[in-house]
Amino acid sequence: MFNRAVTAAQLKPWLKFNYILKNVTFTVRSFCNSCPRYSNKDDEPVKPSILVPEDFQAELDGETYCPPLAQPIKPHVHPIKKSFDLLGITGRNDPKTHNNLYFPRHCDILIIGGGIMGCSIAYWLKQRGHDNGLRVIVVEQDPSYTRASTVLSVGGLRQQFSLPENIEMSLYGAEFLRKSKKLLSGEGLEGPDVQFHPFGYLFLATEKGADQLIANHKLQTSLGAKIQLLSANKLKQKFPWINTDGVELASLGLENEGWFDPWSLLNGFRNKALEMGVEFVKAETVGFETQETIVPEQPGIGDSGCYHKLKRVHVRLHDGDIRTIDFSKCVMAAGAQSGKVSKLAGIGLGTGLLRNALPVEPRKRYVYCFHAPEGPGLDCPLTVDTTGSYFRREGLGGHYVAGKSPTANEEPGVANLDVDYTFFDQQVWPDVALRVPGFENIKLKSAWSGYYDYNTFDQNGVIGIHPYHTNFLFATGFSGHGLQQAPAVGRAIMELVLEGKFLTIDLSRFAFDRVIANQPVFEQNIV
Amino acid sequence: MLMLKFGLCCLGMMFLLKEWLLLISVLTILTFFCLTFMMNFDLGVINLIQLDFLTYLLVSLSLWVTALMIVMSFYIKHSKNYFEVFTSLSLAMLFFLVVSFSTSNLLMFYIMFESTLIPIFLMVMGWGYQPERVSASFYLLFYTLTASLPLLMGILYINSQQFSTDFSSLVVPNSDYLLFWMLIIAFLVKLPVYLGHLWLPKAHVEAPVAGSMILAGVLLKLGGYGLIRFLPFVENSLSEFSVLLVSIGCIGGVLASIICMRQTDCKSLVAYSSIAHMALVVVGISLNSFISVAGAVIIMIAHGFCSSGLFSLVGMIYDRVSTRSIILIRGIVSVGPSMTLWWFLFSISNMAAPPTPSLMGEIYIFMSSLNWAGVLAVFVGTLSFFAGAYNLYLFVSTQHGTNLSGCKSFTEVSVREHFVLISHMLPFLLFLVLLTNIYS
């Protein structure tokens, strides 16, 4: 629309004046802004937590190219005809007209993904104020959650992380779970019973990892977590069923750690959100539409001044119909599919700020359930072995679930959720049987697999606003520890949307900017 | 004769549907020259009574607001959503409005009064974008239709009694209470007063920007106009019921203002503020003194410009941020300061700050109502206070604060939008000069 690539000489005389005037005012304004008289040494500007290196800055100041996204679909129906159609079909009861008539075409906040993150965000957005009039729509392609990471999760809650943000989020998760029955109840709606088993996590460390464990423990206790360090002897005293060979140090969570039923929490959030007026749409996201706007020159926009604002999403219903939903802000909480859906918004397909894709992809993880009559019994925390295998008690009948994160070259394919039992025989069982002699005599009962929304960049969540699409927020990529952080993340996104900044837990280190600036934020794993 | 001329004029403008810019220029110029049409007295078609230029004011207002609403609906043209149909609906609405404001035949007035419902109904259903618009347009239609049926019966009764349906030939009856209510209730619901107001927030929220502008700007004034025209006819009954009407007006206004403070949708907030303003109009008309009716008229005209301007501002924000929620629209002063100027000017006009004519109208109403009964000071004072409160709330919520999501996408206010806003503001401020004529 605007062709700025002209020089003053080429312009017609009346436009030349404008061009010169614009340049003069720009010069004058920059002179005024750079005048030292107006700077105040006492007010230091707030340093962002993620600083882009110098060689990136030039590229980011230039133009960001947004690739062409979905095109507007069907042309408008004639309004008079539309009015008479609407008059004709109101009052009829069949679902097709109901879909036609009542499909929401506009919302304030669109949440893509109805898992624990999406439902938590929907709940937090609506519960602020008595009836804040926000129109929130959650687009979830499978309301029976057959392949959702949330319900296939082992359901652990721990504060034993090495990043303060993770620890604080899990602490809040525990606090929320304690109050969940009351908070998620309403008129005629009973709150969920999350069945929290407060048996703690037990991390075992060899000599090499002991220092890291001590450092982590110090940070965790300083933030309020109740973690106890146990030497090998104390460990043996506390848990006689454990084999302490090779274990130098162990840390046990005393409070606020354990496991719970993710399905109850998900339903709790979902039902409360439904009661507060959130609309759940059963559809799959297939595209985004942008609106070209001409804005003044800004970093990331460049000379052309053309900014593509994300305006509308195309969703496909179960009968193949494609509908559109206009939104003001969009939250990406699609879990394992987030990387794929973000690409539909051009994130990763453009240049400049849109160069980096969201580094979240599905990774399959197996969970095996076995019966061990000589196992640890009731007093069994979720034990994470030095090899990375973990197990916990399941129920009261001597059943246990166990699993292990495979190494990079053992990663299973993600095409389906089939379980590989040889992984149990070769990797998981030897480890847990070594650690707990009582696990030598077991009978494998069943197994399932689920996807991690695995952040290939640094295995921690991506929470925040995209630097180019400023109305697009992320809440995904938690790589296996998202369930426990869902209440805190929901609250954080609510604060970001409604207040413009984080108020309770500062999660600015987890922003998408770190992917662009190549500054990963790693959890220090125990060896 | 006159109406025929005007009808031909409107039909002529239908040919200009493709030439969008020419159409709005014709409309704006016609605003100033409609007086020449008014001066043609043919066969006693026009009879301007009491306020000599009430008709002129309202006809100019409707022409002006129609021109501006066509300018504002550029988005419909841009997205090729049947802009010609929309414009022809607006012109049809204009025709009905002008005829209803200028006719002196009761039945013709009633027919045009009802006919304005059809274009607004089609606008809300056809160009609104939320599923609730179905229910909103039904509310709009049925509230007004149900309330105006007694009006038709009353008019026919007058016809049978007095063998004429002309405003100038209305003979004041002794005090027919039933006839009074039958005639008045249509206008009370149209205004709307607090008890019959439920259709207004719904219709305003679901209507497209241009629909809201014409609805708030002119259609509500039909109610006030009807009340003023019937005033000499029902004077005797009015003295019996004036306490009731003033009470409904005052208390309803206060309640509407308080409800306004709780709104989360910008458009809904402006809609409820319309109810609060029109409550003052009802008070003024019920008091039946020259000053109070003059105040009511001034508030009506001022509110026409102000509300219409506010709705166009909300529409501009919606074009940029895709939401009307007060919670999500924040920090406009950081990303679009030219819009902040207009938000400020319209907010202070809405809260009746000097030197706007809204203040003048309110002062007239205050004077006459306090003279009538001192206790009304509490209500009109509260109404005035809350008017300031909710307008400030709207302004501060939307303009101040941090804006994260709009920082890259908030376009500058375009020339077209500046034109719309300045066209609302300038006559509004110049209106004061016109009003010095009120005593002549």
Side-chain angles (χ1 to χ4, degrees):
Chain A
M1 220 200 299
F2 277 60
N3 186 8
R4 303 272 170 101
V6 294
T7 59
Q10 290 174 321
L11 290 174
K12 296 275 189 296
W14 55 89
L15 292 175
K16 204 186 281 192
F17 175 71
N18 257 343
Y19 187 85
I20 294 173
L21 183 68
K22 196 164 60 131
N23 280 325
V24 166
T25 51
F26 176 72
T27 319
V28 170
R29 218 184 299 133
S30 3
F31 171 73
C32 290
N33 286 339
S34 66
C35 187
R37 193 164 18 117
Y38 292 114
S39 73
N40 192 352
K41 286 263 188 316
D42 295 332
D43 291 48
E44 283 302 322
V46 174
K47 269 186 180 287
S49 34
I50 295 177
L51 282 173
V52 182
E54 305 260 327
D55 46 348
F56 270 149
Q57 191 62 51
E59 189 182 335
L60 295 179
D61 278 339
E63 187 176 331
T64 297
Y65 166 69
C66 180
L69 301 180
Q71 290 308 305
I73 52 177
K74 49 191 161 182
H76 297 281
V77 181
H78 194 282
I80 311 283
K81 180 170 183 311
K82 204 197 303 184
S83 312
F84 284 105
D85 282 345
L86 282 171
L87 284 175
I89 66 180
T90 43
R92 285 206 217 135
N93 262 331
D94 56 298
K96 186 155 175 24
T97 52
H98 193 267
N99 259 348
N100 275 336
L101 185 58
Y102 290 112
F103 189 83
R105 280 191 6 219
H106 170 264
C107 67
D108 293 324
I109 302 181
L110 180 81
I111 302 177
I112 299 182
I116 191 72
M117 283 298 161
C119 291
S120 168
I121 295 170
Y123 160 75
W124 278 101
L125 282 170
K126 283 296 269 190
Q127 66 85 42
R128 172 68 171 264
H130 175 62
D131 176 14
N132 56 16
L134 276 181
R135 212 189 161 102
V136 179
I137 292 183
V138 176
V139 174
E140 166 59 51
Q141 63 176 347
D142 178 18
S144 58
Y145 298 106
T146 47
R147 293 156 65 96
S149 313
T150 305
V151 297
L152 295 167
S153 153
V154 167
L157 166 66
R158 61 172 161 121
Q159 280 86 48
Q160 295 187 47
F161 292 101
S162 65
L163 288 171
E165 289 95 349
N166 278 336
I167 301 171
E168 285 178 335
M169 284 202 276
S170 294
L171 275 172
Y172 183 71
E175 191 188 318
F176 187 86
L177 280 182
R178 201 174 293 128
K179 298 189 281 191
S180 62
K181 190 148 178 90
K182 184 149 173 273
L183 287 176
L184 298 179
S185 67
E187 279 199 36
L189 179 71
E190 226 184 88
D193 174 18
V194 295
Q195 293 162 30
F196 182 55
H197 296 261
F199 287 93
Y201 265 64
L202 179 68
F203 275 84
L204 305 174
T206 57
E207 254 183 67
K208 274 196 295 184
D211 291 330
Q212 183 61 53
L213 196 68
I214 295 173
N216 288 356
H217 171 257
K218 194 147 164 256
L219 178 63
Q220 289 149 17
T221 41
S222 75
L223 289 170
K226 302 269 193 306
I227 317 284
Q228 183 185 41
L229 281 177
L230 300 165
S231 65
N233 289 336
K234 280 232 154 52
L235 184 63
K236 190 72 183 175
Q237 275 176 12
K238 201 166 170 68
F239 301 116
W241 41 263
I242 218 168
N243 168 22
T244 53
D245 285 345
V247 173
E248 170 74 18
L249 200 59
S251 68
L252 172 69
L254 298 173
E255 270 182 31
N256 292 333
E257 285 200 354
W259 57 91
F260 62 96
D261 179 16
W263 179 243
S264 311
L265 187 64
L266 175 65
N267 267 332
F269 273 130
R270 189 185 150 99
N271 291 337
K272 182 68 179 169
L274 279 168
E275 192 222 17
M276 291 196 288
V278 174
E279 289 176 54
F280 279 75
V281 170
K282 178 181 171 186
E284 182 198 344
T285 313
V286 292
F288 284 87
E289 248 184 74
T290 54
Q291 178 187 38
E292 259 188 36
T293 54
I294 305 295
V295 291
E297 194 180 313
Q298 290 171 38
I301 309 285
D303 278 340
S304 72
C306 180
Y307 175 76
H308 295 260
K309 176 172 104 101
L310 281 180
K311 187 173 156 64
R312 192 178 286 155
V313 73
H314 290 191
V315 295
R316 186 191 297 133
L317 302 179
H318 58 275
D319 54 9
D321 237 359
I322 298 196
R323 301 293 173 102
T324 60
I325 303 178
D326 283 27
F327 58 83
S328 172
K329 293 194 200 240
C330 179
V331 182
M332 172 56 62
Q337 308 297 323
S338 303
K340 189 172 72 126
V341 182
S342 303
K343 273 217 162 62
L344 295 170
I347 296 174
L349 297 179
T351 63
L353 291 168
L354 286 176
R355 183 184 59 185
N356 302 78
L358 179 68
V360 174
E361 61 182 39
R363 292 279 173 96
K364 188 157 75 164
R365 295 288 179 265
Y366 304 114
V367 181
Y368 305 94
C369 181
F370 53 84
H371 180 250
E374 292 147 24
L378 277 183
D379 189 14
C380 173
L382 200 156
T383 312
V384 181
D385 191 33
T386 50
T387 53
S389 300
Y390 64 87
F391 64 89
R392 70 156 167 89
R393 179 178 57 80
E394 169 71 25
L396 302 169
H399 288 89
Y400 301 86
V401 296
K404 182 178 181 179
S405 283
T407 54
N409 45 5
E410 288 174 335
E411 280 289 345
V414 294
N416 52 31
L417 285 177
D418 294 343
V419 178
D420 178 14
Y421 290 93
T422 58
F423 187 72
F424 180 71
D425 295 329
Q426 288 164 9
Q427 300 280 351
V428 183
W429 190 18
D431 292 340
V432 301
L434 191 61
R435 190 53 62 200
V436 181
F439 281 158
E440 278 162 12
N441 171 25
I442 66 167
K443 187 169 163 65
L444 182 62
K445 289 288 186 175
S446 72
W448 69 85
S449 63
Y451 294 122
Y452 273 10
D453 47 343
Y454 192 80
N455 181 349
T456 52
F457 186 62
D458 57 8
Q459 292 88 55
N460 272 315
V462 180
I463 306 166
I465 304 181
H466 188 274
Y468 182 78
H469 289 305
T470 47
N471 58 349
F472 195 86
L473 292 95
F474 295 105
T476 179
F478 295 97
S479 317
H481 51 262
L483 179 62
Q484 59 198 283
Q485 296 176 343
V489 170
R491 185 176 61 167
I493 295 283
M494 179 269 284
E495 289 166 359
L496 209 52
V497 166
L498 299 183
E499 300 287 334
K501 56 184 184 216
F502 294 114
L503 293 177
T504 44
I505 308 175
D506 184 14
L507 296 172
S508 39
R509 268 207 305 172
F510 281 168
F512 185 79
D513 304 0
R514 74 187 196 273
V515 177
I516 300 181
N518 203 13
Q519 292 174 4
V521 175
F522 283 111
E523 269 288 318
Q524 303 304 320
N525 288 325
I526 317 295
V527 167
Chain B
M1 251 314 108
L2 160 79
M3 289 174 293
L4 202 56
K5 264 195 228 176
F6 213 93
L8 286 174
C9 216
C10 285
L11 279 176
M13 285 198 278
M14 299 266 189
F15 288 112
L16 289 177
L17 286 180
K18 296 282 182 188
E19 306 293 322
W20 182 68
L21 292 170
L22 195 52
L23 176 65
I24 56 171
S25 353
V26 165
L27 280 173
T28 44
I29 291 170
L30 208 56
T31 320
F32 301 106
F33 292 109
C34 64
L35 192 58
T36 58
F37 289 99
M38 298 299 179
M39 289 312 192
N40 294 339
F41 288 98
D42 284 347
L43 300 172
V45 164
I46 278 207
N47 191 357
L48 304 173
I49 52 173
Q50 195 166 350
L51 279 85
D52 288 356
F53 47 77
L54 175 63
T55 301
Y56 169 60
L57 283 176
L58 286 170
V59 166
S60 317
L61 178 67
S62 24
L63 280 164
W64 194 251
V65 173
T66 308
L68 293 177
M69 84 185 245
I70 296 178
V71 176
M72 244 338 259
S73 38
F74 181 72
Y75 185 63
I76 298 181
K77 181 170 164 58
H78 185 64
S79 63
K80 299 201 185 347
N81 193 5
Y82 299 92
F83 184 65
E84 292 83 26
V85 181
F86 190 82
T87 321
S88 48
L89 272 182
S90 327
L91 287 177
M93 168 99 83
L94 174 67
F95 172 69
F96 295 140
L97 282 172
V98 169
V99 174
S100 61
F101 284 135
S102 57
T103 182
S104 72
N105 187 334
L106 280 176
L107 203 54
M108 181 58 112
F109 170 73
Y110 175 78
I111 293 173
M112 292 299 141
F113 179 79
E114 294 298 293
S115 312
T116 56
L117 284 180
I118 299 173
I120 192 71
F121 175 78
L122 289 173
M123 276 187 208
V124 172
M125 278 282 235
W127 283 271
Y129 45 79
Q130 281 182 297
E132 286 86 0
R133 71 185 189 278
V134 178
S135 131
S137 46
F138 278 7
Y139 263 72
L140 162 69
L141 196 66
F142 283 105
Y143 257 80
T144 325
L145 273 180
T146 317
S148 9
L149 198 57
L151 175 63
L152 177 65
M153 289 161 57
I155 290 175
L156 295 175
Y157 175 74
I158 292 172
N159 188 25
S160 69
Q161 293 289 320
Q162 296 168 3
F163 304 104
S164 159
T165 55
D166 206 272
F167 273 121
S168 53
S169 66
L170 291 178
V171 172
V172 179
N174 263 338
S175 25
D176 198 341
Y177 297 158
L178 179 61
L179 186 62
F180 169 74
W181 282 111
M182 281 167 60
L183 294 175
I184 293 295
I185 220 156
F187 305 116
L188 290 181
V189 167
K190 193 79 177 172
L191 253 183
V193 291
Y194 181 70
L195 297 174
H197 72 288
L198 283 177
W199 62 273
L200 187 78
K202 283 188 193 285
H204 268 130
V205 166
E206 308 301 334
V209 174
S212 285
M213 283 169 71
I214 195 78
L215 189 53
V218 192
L219 285 178
L220 301 189
K221 316 310 179 263
L222 267 178
Y225 175 80
L227 279 177
I228 294 178
R229 282 288 181 239
F230 277 93
L231 203 54
F233 182 61
V234 298
E235 256 168 356
N236 287 334
S237 329
L238 185 61
S239 56
E240 181 74 24
F241 291 111
S242 59
V243 178
L244 182 60
L245 278 178
V246 169
S247 316
I248 295 178
C250 278
I251 300 179
V254 169
L255 286 175
S257 319
I258 297 179
I259 294 177
C260 226
M261 293 287 300
R262 280 205 70 227
Q263 293 307 311
T264 50
D265 184 339
C266 285
K267 256 188 161 175
S268 192
L269 201 150
V270 183
Y272 273 102
S273 81
S274 293
I275 304 180
H277 283 280
M278 291 299 118
L280 274 181
V281 169
V282 165
V283 169
I285 296 176
S286 316
L287 294 177
N288 202 16
S289 74
F290 183 75
I291 295 281
S292 68
V293 177
V297 169
I298 297 171
I299 289 188
M300 285 201 317
I301 309 292
H303 172 260
F305 283 114
C306 217
S307 255
S308 179
L310 273 174
F311 277 116
S312 47
L313 274 171
V314 175
M316 288 173 203
I317 295 259
Y318 181 77
D319 282 341
R320 287 161 172 76
V321 191
S322 302
T323 178
R324 289 188 320 257
S325 168
I326 274 190
I327 309 180
L328 291 179
I329 306 172
R330 311 171 63 219
I332 305 289
V333 74
S334 331
V335 295
S338 21
M339 198 179 276
T340 304
L341 168 68
W342 293 115
W343 269 100
F344 179 69
L345 286 176
F346 281 99
S347 292
I348 61 166
S349 315
N350 206 21
M351 72 165 89
T356 60
S358 349
L359 177 68
M360 209 170 140
E362 248 179 66
I363 288 180
Y364 283 177
I365 304 277
F366 284 8
M367 276 161 45
S368 44
S369 59
L370 291 180
N371 198 18
W372 188 76
V375 73
L376 290 184
V378 174
F379 296 105
V380 292
T382 319
L383 208 141
S384 212
F385 170 75
F386 276 108
Y390 62 70
N391 278 301
L392 271 182
Y393 169 60
L394 177 65
F395 178 73
V396 170
S397 291
T398 50
Q399 310 301 312
H400 298 171
T402 41
N403 185 322
L404 278 190
S405 70
C407 53
K408 288 217 159 94
S409 62
F410 205 90
T411 47
E412 286 292 316
V413 180
S414 64
V415 178
R416 172 185 65 92
E417 291 165 343
H418 275 303
F419 169 70
V420 169
L421 293 168
I422 210 171
S423 311
H424 276 112
M425 207 67 220
L426 217 52
F428 187 63
L429 295 173
L430 294 176
F431 185 49
L432 267 179
V433 176
L434 268 179
L435 287 177
T436 53
N437 224 3
I438 197 94
Y439 290 101
S440 66

